[in-house]
Structure formats: structure tokens, C-alpha cells
Amino acid sequence: MSSNETDLRDEKPQFVLPLVVRIERDAPPSRTDALETAARAVLEILTDDRSLGEGEWAQAMTDWQDARIRKVVRRARGAEWRRAGALPGITVDGLEAEVRVFPPVPLDGWPKELAKLQVSGTDLDDPAAPGPVPDGAVVLWINPELDMSAGKAMAQAGHGAQLLWWAMGDADRKAWHEAGFPLAVRTAPAEEWPALTASGLPLVRDAGFTEIAPGPTVVAEGSDRFAPGLRLPRP
């Protein structure tokens, strides 16, 4: 995207896509599962009938995508989670994680039930190292040089999934959607990160507003089953 296109996006009214992750004190989800669930939640709202055509969320989705693509992850538990669940949106379940995504709202116009939720405190861990990438799953590669909270990383994974969706052809989109968006989030091997960022694959560049300096955060790569043309050549 050129600097002129970026400037035009910044001049438009700004919207944000809210995501809320359920984090109960006694049963927090694992970090990788939360990241993967957030990425699938973004894809679910992008493809929901309410977001398309004359759907009730379509104008908000268009306004959001015409400006700078912003996502913010907040956390909830107990009654907070139940109140958030009463608002229009989509809840996506992972192995342990629950993430609810809502139609975009103005940057300074969050519903009160969401505005009071905390952004901080989304520090999650993986009890064990994530396993191998499942067969056929696309991969969202996280910059190995960054230290991000789980909430920040969830937003970045969502960005990566969205860019990959945009880069896919219609047949790959249809197949991926029908399969339930199989994907994996993994930290990129340090030795592969330079090649990934230079590959021309969908690349997320963070603006540096929170937590980290501006720069690349995620590279999205297809699989042998979905978008095989969007893969890094390997020996």
C-alpha cells in the first residue's frame, strides 16, 4: 500500500473490530489456542451473511475496511462475559479458548458493556510447546523477535488471517471456508523470518501505537490444501 493510500485511509472515520476473549481465573486458555481462535473469529465475521450485501453489519464492515484496519482485544470473565455475549456478535470456540467478535464500532464509540472491559491482563501461556502444524492448515507466522501480550498477538493473528483471506482466489476461499478455516499460529524459526518477510506473502506491519515499535509482526502462508500458491519455497 502506498503512503498516499495510507494517508487517505487515515483521513476517513476510524472504526475498530472488537474481540473479547474469555479468561476465567481458574481456567485460562492456552496462548496459542487463544491466538488461533481469534484469527478464526475474524474470518467468521468477514464471511458471515450479516456482513455481506445488504446484511445488518455490512455497512459497518465496509466503513471499517475502508479506513485503517484496527482490532482491539479485551478480556472478560463471569458476568462480564455473559453481558458481552448478549450483544450482537459471533462466539468462536477453540480447544479451550472462547472468543467473541463484534461488528465494528467507531474508535470512540464502544458499547458500554465492552468499553469497561480491560485490555491489559491478557497474558497467557502455553503449558507445553505447540505441536506440529496440522496437515492442510495455513500458518500465521509470528515475528520471533517480538515480545507481545496475548491480546496484542491475537489482534496481529487476526490481521494475518484477514490479509491471507484477501490474497486468496475464490476457489481457495470457498474451500477454506467450507473446511472451517483450518489454521495454525506459530512463532517463525528465526532463520526463516527474513525470507518470510521478503517473500511477497501477506505481511502484517504494525503501526506501533501500542506495545511494540512499528514493523512486521505476522506473515501469512498458505498450505498444500489451501492457497498452495501462497507458500514460501523450501528445499
Side-chain angles (χ1 to χ4, degrees):
M1 183 180 298
S2 69
S3 59
N4 186 52
E5 288 174 316
T6 302
D7 291 342
L8 288 174
R9 282 178 173 265
D10 287 339
E11 290 172 4
K12 294 182 177 181
Q14 298 295 303
F15 289 77
V16 61
L17 188 78
L19 297 107
V20 175
V21 56
R22 183 178 185 181
I23 303 181
E24 300 289 348
R25 283 195 182 95
D26 59 346
S30 64
R31 180 184 175 96
T32 295
D33 189 37
L35 268 58
E36 293 173 350
T37 306
R40 287 193 293 109
V42 171
L43 295 163
E44 290 290 351
I45 198 167
L46 284 172
T47 57
D48 191 277
D49 287 344
R50 289 166 289 184
S51 299
L52 306 173
E54 300 299 319
E56 60 192 278
W57 300 341
Q59 188 59 56
M61 294 292 288
T62 296
D63 291 342
W64 168 61
Q65 293 177 89
D66 280 350
R68 184 182 287 274
I69 305 297
R70 298 174 185 261
K71 300 178 182 72
V72 172
V73 177
R74 297 178 183 248
R75 62 179 172 87
R77 62 173 177 261
E80 297 172 331
W81 175 255
R82 292 190 291 275
R83 285 193 291 269
L87 297 177
I90 302 169
T91 298
V92 177
D93 295 329
L95 296 175
E96 307 156 340
E98 293 178 75
V99 175
R100 188 162 179 84
V101 60
F102 304 85
V105 297
L107 197 58
D108 56 356
W110 285 65
K112 65 180 186 299
E113 294 89 347
L114 303 182
K116 65 178 64 175
L117 300 178
Q118 296 295 310
V119 176
S120 61
T122 56
D123 295 322
L124 300 171
D125 297 314
D126 282 317
V133 173
D135 289 343
V138 309
V139 187
L140 307 175
W141 295 110
I142 302 287
N143 185 340
E145 301 171 358
L146 296 180
D147 182 15
M148 295 184 283
S149 69
K152 179 71 172 182
M154 288 168 70
Q156 299 304 303
H159 292 334
Q162 185 169 0
L163 292 184
L164 184 61
W165 176 256
W166 285 349
M168 283 183 175
D170 289 343
D172 282 320
R173 283 185 179 183
K174 184 176 186 293
W176 197 30
H177 186 191
E178 290 178 348
F181 302 119
L183 59 83
V185 178
R186 297 290 186 270
T187 299
E191 66 276 11
E192 281 195 8
W193 183 246
L196 284 165
T197 58
S199 64
L201 295 175
L203 171 65
V204 179
R205 290 187 177 276
D206 191 68
F209 294 135
T210 59
E211 289 195 26
I212 58 175
T217 57
V218 174
V219 173
E221 184 178 19
S223 69
D224 57 354
R225 185 178 173 194
F226 307 106
L230 296 171
R231 300 183 72 189
L232 180 70
R234 292 178 174 84

